[in-house]
Amino acid sequence: MGILKRFNDIMASNINALLDKAEDPEKMVDQTLRNLQEDFGKVKAETAGVMADEKRAKRELDEAKAEADKYANYAQKAVAAGNDDDARTFLQKKAEVTQNIAGLQAAYDAAHENSVKMQQMYDKLAKDIETLEAKRDTIKAKIRTAKAQERVNKMTSSIPDSADSLSTFDRLEKQADRMLDKAQAEEELNGHGKTDTSALEEKYADNASKDADIEAELAALKANM
């Protein structure tokens, strides 16, 4: 009865514990059902064999009882015919058959008990497989959802906090503002220095040009005079 023990172990185990031990729970669900269906085929064959043993034991018991009744009937007819010796012979045969009936009855009782147990096990296994098949899609859907949730959790834990990133960007933006302000101030200072120098150069450059023109014109007047 190794099949029955295997079946009882599987059905008695906690399905959640079974899934926890599996590397791939979704495949484990399918494999568990396949194992049960294989066992179901074996249980079915053994159940049929035990039921056949019961039928054979019942037939042998009925035949023995019928034979005992037959010899008892012949003994009665022999007595009615005044043949006591014949009656004794039939009663002896009846006693022999009756002695076998006790053993046949015990064999039948045991076969019947085994047959009942096997049929109960067969019916339970069939019902449990039907239940598991109905639950399979639900279990597999839950497993897929759990896997997706695990992936989301891992991604969430690996991504840095956005608040930290925003704080870092704020600091960088302030630093960039300071750098820009400094660069603009330097440009403004450089611009002021160049303007003052240029103005002075233009001032003196214009005066020198005008003085030269006046002197040249004065020299020309003197030459003409």
Side-chain angles (χ1 to χ4, degrees), residues 193-209:
K194 181 178 181 181
T195 301
D196 293 343
T197 302
S198 298
L200 289 173
E201 289 177 356
E202 291 176 359
K203 176 180 178 181
Y204 291 105
D206 291 342
N207 289 336
S209 178

Side-chain angles (χ1 to χ4, degrees), residues 173-219:
E173 185 177 10
K174 290 179 180 178
Q175 184 177 355
D177 289 341
R178 287 196 298 270
M179 293 174 64
L180 179 60
D181 292 340
K182 182 178 179 182
Q184 290 176 344
E186 291 177 352
E187 181 181 7
E188 184 176 351
L189 290 174
N190 291 336
H192 283 308
K194 181 178 181 181
T195 301
D196 293 343
T197 302
S198 298
L200 289 173
E201 289 177 356
E202 291 176 359
K203 176 180 178 181
Y204 291 105
D206 291 342
N207 289 336
S209 178
K210 290 178 180 180
D211 291 343
D213 292 341
I214 291 175
E215 294 297 328
E217 187 175 357
L218 178 61

Side-chain angles (χ1 to χ4, degrees), residues 102-123:
L104 293 173
Q105 182 68 54
Y108 168 73
D109 291 341
H112 176 71
E113 184 177 355
N114 289 335
S115 178
V116 170
K117 288 181 179 179
M118 288 299 297
Q119 289 183 65
Q120 290 175 346
M121 186 61 66
Y122 174 85
D123 293 339

Side-chain angles (χ1 to χ4, degrees), residues 89-209:
T89 300
F90 289 133
L91 289 175
Q92 180 63 34
K93 296 292 295 183
K94 175 180 177 294
E96 293 175 0
V97 173
T98 301
Q99 186 177 4
N100 291 334
I101 288 177
L104 293 173
Q105 182 68 54
Y108 168 73
D109 291 341
H112 176 71
E113 184 177 355
N114 289 335
S115 178
V116 170
K117 288 181 179 179
M118 288 299 297
Q119 289 183 65
Q120 290 175 346
M121 186 61 66
Y122 174 85
D123 293 339
K124 177 174 172 51
L125 181 55
K127 182 178 180 181
D128 288 336
I129 289 177
E130 183 179 353
T131 300
L132 288 179
E133 286 178 341
K135 288 183 177 180
R136 175 174 55 185
D137 293 339
T138 300
I139 294 174
K140 293 174 72 172
K142 289 182 178 179
I143 291 172
R144 288 192 292 269
T145 301
K147 288 182 178 180
Q149 185 64 52
E150 288 177 356
R151 290 195 297 271
V152 171
N153 293 340
K154 289 181 181 178
M155 291 182 64
T156 302
S157 62
S158 63
I159 296 175
D161 189 359
S162 60
D164 294 339
S165 299
L166 290 175
S167 177
T168 301
F169 268 66
D170 288 341
R171 290 196 302 271
L172 292 174
E173 185 177 10
K174 290 179 180 178
Q175 184 177 355
D177 289 341
R178 287 196 298 270
M179 293 174 64
L180 179 60
D181 292 340
K182 182 178 179 182
Q184 290 176 344
E186 291 177 352
E187 181 181 7
E188 184 176 351
L189 290 174
N190 291 336
H192 283 308
K194 181 178 181 181
T195 301
D196 293 343
T197 302
S198 298
L200 289 173
E201 289 177 356
E202 291 176 359
K203 176 180 178 181
Y204 291 105
D206 291 342
N207 289 336
S209 178

